[in-house]
Amino acid sequence: MKRSLFIKFLVLTFTLLIGSLAVTATERPFSLNGKGIAIPILDGNGNVVGAEPTGSGNATHLGMFTNTGHVSFTPDASNPTILHPSGGGVLTAANGDKLNFVIISGALDLTTGIGTGDFEFTGGTGRFANATGHTLGVIQQNIVTGAYVLTLVGNIDY
């Protein structure tokens, strides 16, 4: 009787362990290519202090996506042609799952329209509810029209 109970307990424990392994998050490669438009936010003097980007594209783990966000800019104290972004946004997959991200650091050169930055995933909804990860990004921004092309490469864990 004791042996039978021990075997049942062992089988139950093993089953629970195997089941929990299947739902453990796994770090995976992530890449994104997208484009859109960033509507500038101006202060009272006409200086660009932020932007409201919207766009779409294709990304691993998301497939076709749309994005929205809010970015604030801080001018570089030593170079007025460089802006440092902060903020973030949401990537929405075709099935409605959302992946949140924040901008950790970066710089946008107003003379070239090229920006670089570090992005971090901070959860979301659906399969991305507990997502984490880090990507490096490059943006080509048309300063006049607001059009942009964005590429991200890194890892995601969900």
Side-chain angles (χ1 to χ4, degrees), residues 10 15 20 26 29 46 64 78 82 97 99 119 123 130 133 135 137 144-145:
L10 189 61
T15 303
S20 68
T26 303
M64 299 304 290
S78 62
I82 302 293
D97 287 355
L99 178 59
F119 296 77
N130 297 309
T135 66
V144 176
T145 66

Side-chain angles (χ1 to χ4, degrees), residues 114-127:
I114 296 175
T116 58
D118 293 326
F119 296 77
E120 186 173 291
F121 298 123
T122 59
T125 65
R127 68 185 179 274

Side-chain angles (χ1 to χ4, degrees), residues 118-153:
D118 293 326
F119 296 77
E120 186 173 291
F121 298 123
T122 59
T125 65
R127 68 185 179 274
F128 302 119
N130 297 309
T132 59
H134 180 260
T135 66
L136 299 175
V138 176
I139 188 167
Q140 175 65 50
Q141 178 79 51
N142 183 318
I143 303 302
V144 176
T145 66
Y148 67 86
V149 176
L150 175 66
T151 302
L152 298 177
V153 177

Side-chain angles (χ1 to χ4, degrees), residues 43-57:
D43 67 9
N45 297 323
N47 299 313
V48 176
V49 294
E52 298 284 341
T54 59
S56 61

